[in-house]
Amino acid sequence: GDSVTQMEGPVTLSEEAFLTINCTYTATGYPSLFWYVQYPGEGLQLLLKATKADDKGSNKGFEATYRKETTSFHLEKGSVQVSDSAVYFCALTIGDTGNQFYFGTGTSLTVIP
Amino acid sequence: DVKVTQSSRYLVKRTGEKVFLECVQDMDHENMFWYRQDPGLGLRLIYFSYDVKMKEKGDIPEGYSVSREKKERFSLILESASTNQTSMYLCASSLFWGRGALNEKLFFGSGTQLSVL
């Protein structure tokens, strides 16, 4: 079936450190891939997305590239800030399933000054 | 911007009570979803609806039911609450997928933290 696996946390980094959160997927069709972010006390919000192989999604300094050959969509940021502390979810959807989304388990990131 | 509103931020109920969680979206979205979020398990889909009066079971529908009488409102019902239903419940909505990949995006409410004692 369709699923997403992401690295377990929690992750603790110092400010200005490099961030990578790994995400791999299994899909029966041609998925669109997403990273959602959940700040403390809030619901999830879309961070970035990519809809086909080799697409790169980017937003707020975060990037992720859709790699079909490795079935991966790793999230990266060159220099994290304290305000990036949140839980990050990798997700996929396949259009012909009625827009059902599949989420990873989430990775908690804490950035310390 | 789209707004998805969940009626309660925190809710405390007793075992055996009937519980209603309400969700309203203001952007005429066809799809609406209920997830529960638990530490280490991420988000798990309970039910979703792609039209008024239509509903589909997600991955964990047992112990839950839903109602969608109006397009903007999607209610999650716990017929007889149990302690293992203590969780964060998240409602989300999206446009129907047939309108193209550019519209694939979930809009989430802030969540309802339900405690069943």
Side-chain angles (χ1 to χ4, degrees):
Chain A
D2 304 314
S3 65
V4 172
T5 302
Q6 62 181 104
M7 65 182 280
E8 293 187 17
V11 175
T12 302
L13 294 173
S14 297
E15 206 165 21
E16 299 183 3
F18 184 85
L19 169 71
T20 299
I21 301 178
N22 291 338
C23 171
T24 57
Y25 68 88
T26 302
T28 52
Y30 299 96
S32 294
L33 301 174
F34 305 79
W35 278 99
Y36 279 82
V37 58
Q38 184 180 33
Y39 297 105
E42 299 182 13
L44 281 72
Q45 56 185 276
L46 180 66
L47 179 61
L48 54 85
K49 64 182 279 189
T51 58
K52 61 182 188 296
D54 299 325
D55 268 3
K56 177 185 284 188
S58 61
N59 186 26
K60 299 181 181 180
F62 290 88
E63 291 183 341
T65 301
Y66 188 142
R67 302 281 189 203
K68 188 177 179 182
E69 63 276 14
T70 55
T71 62
S72 65
F73 192 55
H74 304 321
L75 182 68
E76 297 182 335
K77 186 174 185 181
S79 176
V80 293
Q81 305 300 313
V82 172
S83 58
D84 294 326
S85 297
V87 181
Y88 293 82
F89 292 89
C90 187
L92 70 81
T93 186
I94 299 178
D96 60 1
T97 62
N99 218 11
Q100 187 169 347
F101 282 72
Y102 299 88
F103 286 86
T105 55
T107 302
S108 175
L109 169 67
T110 300
V111 180
I112 54 177
Chain B
D1 213 1
V2 175
K3 190 167 184 181
V4 179
T5 303
Q6 294 184 231
S7 54
S8 304
R9 184 72 180 93
Y10 299 96
L11 211 52
V12 180
K13 296 292 180 181
R14 298 217 172 266
T15 302
E17 278 193 78
K18 190 169 186 176
V19 181
F20 292 87
L21 302 183
E22 306 288 347
C23 176
V24 176
Q25 50 94 3
D26 65 359
M27 283 299 290
D28 204 36
H29 283 175
E30 290 87 355
N31 296 340
M32 295 189 75
F33 306 80
W34 275 106
Y35 291 88
R36 62 176 283 177
Q37 181 182 7
D38 301 288
L41 297 176
L43 272 70
R44 293 181 291 168
L45 182 64
I46 305 171
Y47 268 96
F48 67 100
S49 167
Y50 52 87
D51 202 353
V52 175
K53 297 191 184 297
M54 305 300 289
K55 60 184 179 183
E56 295 285 343
K57 292 180 179 179
D59 300 318
I60 52 165
E62 296 78 18
Y64 303 94
S65 62
V66 290
S67 172
R68 189 143 181 225
E69 296 296 318
K70 294 183 179 181
K71 192 174 185 180
E72 67 271 18
R73 185 181 297 271
F74 192 37
S75 303
L76 180 69
I77 304 157
L78 286 65
E79 296 289 342
S80 178
S82 63
T83 55
N84 63 11
Q85 292 179 309
T86 292
S87 185
M88 170 68 81
Y89 289 88
L90 293 170
C91 176
S93 71
S94 73
L95 285 167
F96 183 60
W97 65 273
R99 298 191 185 182
L102 289 177
N103 293 313
E104 289 176 328
K105 177 180 174 180
L106 281 175
F107 295 85
F108 282 87
S110 298
T112 296
Q113 179 63 53
L114 173 66
S115 297
V116 182
L117 307 178

